[in-house]
Amino acid sequence: MNITIKVAKNELRNLFYSPIAWFLAIAFFVQCGVEYTKLLGQYASLQEEGGRSLDEVRELTNAIFTSRNGLFPAIIQNLYLYIPLLTMGLISREINIGTISLLYSSPVKIREIVFGKYLAMLCYNLMLVLIIGVFLFAGVLDIKSVDVGILLSAAFGFYLLLATYSAIGLFMSSLISYQIVSAVSTFVMIGILSRIGTLWQGIDFVRDLTYFLSISGRAENMLHGLISTKDVIYFVLIIFIFLGLSISKLQFGREVRAWFVKAGRYALIVGLALFIGYVTSSPALIAYWDTSANKSNTLTPVTQKILNQFGSEPLEITVYSNYLDGYGWYGLPEQRKLIYSLWEPYIRFKPDIKFNFVNYYDRPLALQYSIFKSYPGKTMSQIVAKRAKADDIDTLIFKTPEQIQKIIDLKPELNRFVMQVKYKNRSTFLRVFDDQLIWPSEYEASAAFKRLLQADMPKIGFITGDGERNSKRRGDRDYRNTFTYKVVRSALVNQGFDVDTIDLNTQQIPSNLSILVLADPRKQLTKVAQEKIAAYMAKGGNMLFAGEPGRQQWINPLLQPLGVELADGMLEQKSEDDPPSLVFTYLTKNGIGLSKRLSSPGVDTLPISFKGTSFLKYHETSGFKVAPLFVTKPSLVTNTSAINPDLSLAGNVQPGDGQESEESPNTVIPGSAQAKAKENDLTISKPEQYFTAVSLEKLIGGKKQRIIVAADADFLSNAETQRYDPRTINPFVSSALFSWLDNGRFPIDASRPVGQDDHIKVSTDRVKVLKIWYIWVLPAIALLFSSILLIRRKRK
């Protein structure tokens, strides 16, 4: 041990008595200073700008230090420029000047030489970590409630990466006597280890081997605050491999051995490391430590509780991938590791999840174009063969439409990429979505898990038969996107609900129905239908009513026992950009309390768009507690009280056409009833606040009955939930309303606490001063000190 320390001290003297070590340390400090002050200034500027820019000033620990554009990734991206220049002379210098012969003839053991030189590099690496630690400490001072756990984890991961690069550089230095060639070889080896994880991914065994050897992304989890034994052991094993190879290489320089003995020792070192890595990467043996303040790398307690309910019974996930679908690429063998990484947070708490992969081809039912038009005159199998040849894929891995049909019917899933989750004799689907995230989040996964455990699924029933809104059609006025369209993440069918239709003229309301929906009937309901609805509510059934201006008389008789009434008239809102019929309503305190999603900053103050709405009058009766949910802003909205019922339909869809009228609901037709009303100045009331949705709740037989009444049916429609307007939160509201109606069972609340690191303590002017210190003053002091040291050393 003493010899190892002496070698390390001597190597450190060689490092710091040469310009290269000082130059790289100063350059590293400057790079850190540039990156830190740039990011700090960017967010300080957004904070001073105020307004909606403040929405960007959140999770600052991640934004400034560990995000894709943060300090750590920027430094790691250029780390390969530093370490090879430091390690290129560790052994090659001894070989080049001939001192290696003296070392061979001395009583010093080879491993003591290697460990001593490596220890010197670890000490230098520690200095680099201390340099970056200056900016971590600055972050503690400059950012409110910075997440120290994430910073320490990131620094630990950074140090392990430095140590691994150093071991690689030491080995390459032992192979080559020329220092420049040694540095270039280190660049190459780091590049190989970074890219090897993308090679030969179509072969199962080779994929596992190359993925283990790949260094790319190994520190990423630690940068975000998640330390796992799998990642730590990986770095230790790679260091073991290259130090072991270095010792063996130098040992063979002292001894004469047959080539197969040398090859055997090298193979033993690599094989032993791979075996240990394979065993310790078993999901059941991996330990995790989430150092983040909000445990942002860990499943929420709600999801953990659901997974624990599975007990020792395994989960089986079968991935069905249609090669002709837009997401079929994700199911190919080359992408298996991506699938595993997506499921890793769940495997952490349920290690016995088993995976199956099925690749097939069939007509994609969700594409907006026909693949046959793109390949005229070709059959489906010919199209697959042509595309597979271009992608260098063996078509034998794909099942034909006939073969997949014998296994499972995926047409209800639109022949898209899906993951079927099985537990015992029950199964459900997890889907990909047409949004930026693509993959199911914890919300959708938790809902799927809970469906496997729960016997009674929440079921929404839509009343049909009298022109009501349809939950399966794609017309602007209908509700497919909100309820049943499987490619939309927020659709309630993806949040745990079953959705069906009920014609009350011919069908009974199922006893297991969770929520009944009556949305905008276009004519008076039959007496039979009204009696069935009244009986359902009398038994304590939950329900949502959504009316429309001009059709209040068809829904008010059902609301009368509740003490709620859709008032006459239609609200209008003045706007330079939008039609008057587009009214923005806002969440009340009761509305915000419907779900945690609605109470999150940046959401709770945004409006819900109502396209042609009446307003509600209410008084508490029959034991119901009534609470307003949405309200208009005062002085912005007026009530057109003398509206003609026929004219109120303008702007809505005519029955069955699925398209909006081009005529605005506020277009005044000469000679019409609306024109006469305007001439008599009877239509506009004084500006005031209007309630557009209320909730009702009471106890019946020990069970809470919950009802929601909305003065507009369009706020849940395809048109409004697809409105490209960052101001509106209609999709969030639909989930929150039905979560409340379902007593919070679904959708699953997988929300997390909001991070407190949402404020920069320094101004942009102060950042300019810090930039001078970090980029110019402190590096200049270090440069002056190193110059004096090197000059004095040279004189001696």
Side-chain angles (χ1 to χ4, degrees), residues 79-374:
L79 194 60
Y80 69 93
L81 297 174
Y82 294 93
I83 300 303
L85 296 178
L86 293 166
T87 60
M88 63 183 183
L90 288 177
I91 304 296
S92 61
R93 180 177 61 250
E94 309 286 355
I95 298 174
N96 197 32
I97 63 178
T99 53
I100 191 67
S101 301
L102 297 176
L103 291 175
Y104 282 156
S105 60
S106 69
V108 179
K109 297 178 180 179
I110 294 296
R111 65 172 179 270
E112 291 176 328
I113 298 172
V114 173
F115 289 156
K117 289 180 176 293
Y118 184 67
L119 180 60
M121 282 304 305
L122 291 182
C123 292
Y124 187 88
N125 293 341
L126 184 61
M127 185 188 72
L128 295 181
V129 172
L130 291 176
I131 290 174
I132 206 169
V134 171
F135 298 94
L136 302 186
F137 181 73
V140 173
L141 300 178
D142 298 336
I143 302 170
K144 170 197 166 189
S145 302
V146 71
D147 197 330
V148 176
I150 290 180
L151 296 184
L152 293 177
S153 173
F156 178 61
F158 179 68
Y159 185 69
L160 287 177
L161 195 62
L162 286 172
T164 304
Y165 283 3
S166 298
I168 296 170
L170 190 150
F171 172 64
M172 302 311 296
S173 179
S174 70
L175 293 178
I176 304 168
S177 61
Y178 297 101
Q179 296 186 31
I180 298 300
V181 178
S182 173
V184 172
S185 300
T186 305
F187 293 147
V188 173
M189 180 57 68
I190 292 174
I192 290 173
L193 288 178
S194 299
R195 295 291 299 169
I196 196 171
T198 63
L199 302 177
W200 308 299
Q201 294 299 288
I203 306 170
D204 290 342
F205 172 75
V206 178
R207 177 173 60 247
D208 293 337
L209 180 64
T210 57
Y211 178 76
F212 172 77
L213 290 174
S214 175
I215 201 171
S216 178
R218 283 290 181 174
E220 186 173 347
N221 284 338
M222 282 184 269
L223 292 186
H224 292 93
L226 183 63
I227 301 174
S228 69
T229 54
K230 180 180 68 173
D231 291 333
V232 173
I233 290 174
Y234 166 80
F235 285 115
V236 172
L237 290 177
I238 295 299
I239 292 170
F240 166 78
I241 288 174
F242 284 99
L243 290 185
L245 294 177
S246 300
I247 293 172
S248 298
K249 170 65 175 65
L250 295 177
Q251 192 70 40
F252 292 143
R254 175 183 282 183
E255 303 171 353
V256 178
R257 298 281 186 174
W259 68 268
F260 54 86
V261 175
K262 297 179 182 179
R265 184 178 295 183
Y266 292 144
L268 178 63
I269 292 170
V270 176
L272 180 61
L274 293 177
F275 174 75
I276 295 173
Y278 176 79
V279 172
T280 56
S281 62
S282 173
L285 298 178
I286 300 174
Y288 296 86
W289 181 21
D290 190 348
T291 64
S292 61
N294 290 333
K295 306 303 176 188
S296 54
N297 303 295
T298 304
L299 297 177
T300 59
V302 173
T303 306
Q304 292 181 42
K305 184 178 179 181
I306 294 173
L307 286 173
N308 288 335
Q309 293 178 35
F310 289 114
S312 59
E313 289 289 335
L315 281 178
E316 183 179 348
I317 297 173
T318 303
V319 179
Y320 292 99
S321 175
N322 184 0
Y323 182 56
L324 296 179
D325 175 51
Y327 299 98
W329 179 76
Y330 292 116
L332 296 177
E334 289 79 2
Q335 301 303 315
R336 298 285 160 82
K337 288 301 178 183
L338 171 63
I339 303 296
Y340 293 139
S341 66
L342 291 170
W343 282 96
E344 186 175 0
Y346 305 94
I347 295 173
R348 174 181 171 184
F349 295 97
K350 183 68 176 168
D352 55 355
I353 296 179
K354 300 178 181 178
F355 290 88
N356 302 309
F357 295 88
V358 178
N359 292 281
Y360 73 100
Y361 66 88
D362 202 348
R363 184 192 300 269
L365 302 179
L367 293 181
Q368 301 299 317
Y369 62 91
S370 170
I371 59 171
F372 295 104
K373 290 183 179 180
S374 303

